[in-house]
Amino acid sequence: MSTEDKEWNIDNYKKTFSGRAQLQPAIFNKLSDCKWHCRDCAGKDIDSKQYAGGGGIQGLQRGTKNRPGLVIVTDNAICSDCHELKTCDRWTGEFKKSNSASGIPKKLQKAIFEHYSYTDCIEQRVRQAHELVIDHRFPMERWGNVEDSNPVTMTDAEIEEKFQLLKKDAAGNHNLLKSRACERCIKTNKRQYPLGIKFYYEGNEDWPAGCPKEGPEAKKGCIGCGWYNFNAWRDALNKEISKANEVSY
């Protein structure tokens, strides 16, 4: 039985968490009253600074192959714990279709690292594998469904189409920056831009008219954004700078 066919409620949803899971069950317990909870209070209660990330709120929103996503709204509201106006999250009590990642086999991970020579795409520095994140170019929040499998036989062209490498070290987490930019894009329909440089190699700041916000066709709306493909963005920007220099001479 698929997650869409099953009748979901709080009790059977809780049973989907594995024995190793700690963060998401704690957050779900907090949100299961369907009241507003600010991230400061909720994060302290479960002793986590990653409350909003993929292991927390985002992960619950996406769901998994065995668990539906949750409809969670985020807004400035009065927290039911501290009674102050803060950024809060509230589960509406509704479940939605999962759009989770399928996982990347270790053999494929190694192939991706080697394809990009262990080099992050923004700073162009060679790094250790533990300082790199394999990033899906197309943000999961826009998938609209569970990801297709990632076969270990993916070609170089398929790797280029789907993944890029971002840094994650003591000095910063570019994957987190990208996630926040994509969230703002989804919320505002205004495409974001890295490094404060408002440039697009295709299109402009506005999400393209007629382009769906989620599903496979939504990928067209991401093309041209630096966060979607930083290498293509940098190459196009350098070409524009070269053209400008030629004109100035």
Side-chain angles (χ1 to χ4, degrees):
M1 181 182 291
S2 70
T3 58
E4 289 79 23
D5 297 331
K6 189 171 181 177
E7 192 72 28
W8 289 96
N9 56 49
I10 290 177
D11 289 335
N12 61 27
Y13 183 88
K14 286 183 177 180
K15 293 178 181 178
T16 64
F17 293 112
S18 69
R20 293 177 298 173
Q22 295 180 349
L23 181 57
Q24 287 189 353
I27 295 175
F28 180 68
N29 284 336
K30 172 66 72 173
L31 296 177
S32 61
D33 61 6
C34 296
K35 295 180 180 179
W36 289 107
H37 296 281
C38 78
R39 295 179 177 183
D40 291 337
C41 290
K44 290 176 184 176
D45 286 350
I46 61 176
D47 193 27
S48 172
K49 296 181 180 179
Q50 301 299 321
Y51 181 82
I57 292 288
Q58 287 184 8
L60 290 172
Q61 289 175 314
R62 293 169 184 161
T64 69
K65 288 185 176 180
N66 301 315
R67 182 191 316 136
L70 301 182
V71 180
I72 298 174
V73 292
T74 301
D75 205 345
N76 293 326
I78 301 297
C79 173
S80 60
D81 299 310
C82 66
H83 308 292
E84 295 183 11
L85 180 64
K86 291 184 177 181
T87 298
C88 296
D89 304 287
R90 180 178 67 84
W91 178 41
T92 65
E94 299 172 285
F95 299 95
K96 66 177 183 178
K97 189 176 182 181
S98 170
N99 69 331
S100 63
S102 66
I104 304 174
K106 287 186 177 180
K107 186 175 181 180
L108 178 58
Q109 290 180 35
K110 187 173 185 293
I112 295 170
F113 287 137
E114 291 178 347
H115 174 76
Y116 288 115
S117 302
Y118 290 84
T119 303
D120 79 88
C121 65
I122 293 181
E123 294 182 3
Q124 295 186 295
R125 288 180 57 188
V126 177
R127 300 176 180 276
Q128 297 295 315
H130 70 270
E131 293 184 330
L132 292 165
V133 175
I134 298 175
D135 171 63
H136 289 78
R137 296 189 188 280
F138 186 41
M140 285 188 279
E141 289 78 11
R142 291 196 183 275
W143 290 358
N145 207 340
V146 176
E147 180 187 24
D148 292 335
S149 63
N150 294 306
V152 296
T153 55
M154 287 182 76
T155 65
D156 286 347
E158 289 171 332
I159 288 173
E160 284 276 352
E161 172 71 20
K162 194 167 188 178
F163 302 111
Q164 61 185 352
L165 295 182
L166 298 176
K167 83 162 187 176
K168 182 190 68 174
D169 62 13
N173 185 336
H174 286 158
N175 188 56
L176 181 60
L177 291 179
K178 179 190 172 183
S179 293
R180 296 294 176 267
C182 293
E183 288 171 7
R184 289 192 294 272
C185 176
I186 291 169
K187 186 175 182 179
T188 65
N189 285 327
K190 295 291 184 181
R191 303 203 298 172
Q192 305 297 296
Y193 42 91
L195 307 179
I197 302 173
K198 200 171 185 178
F199 172 80
Y200 303 92
Y201 60 92
E202 285 187 27
N204 53 39
E205 180 184 32
D206 296 318
W207 185 257
C211 184
K213 294 184 180 181
E214 67 174 43
E217 293 299 312
K219 187 185 298 185
K220 296 177 182 178
C222 295
I223 296 173
C225 171
W227 287 116
Y228 175 76
N229 189 329
F230 197 90
N231 285 335
W233 181 84
R234 177 175 47 241
D235 290 345
L237 180 57
N238 281 332
K239 287 180 181 178
E240 291 298 318
I241 293 173
S242 295
K243 289 179 184 178
N245 288 335
E246 290 173 2
V247 171
S248 66
Y249 290 135

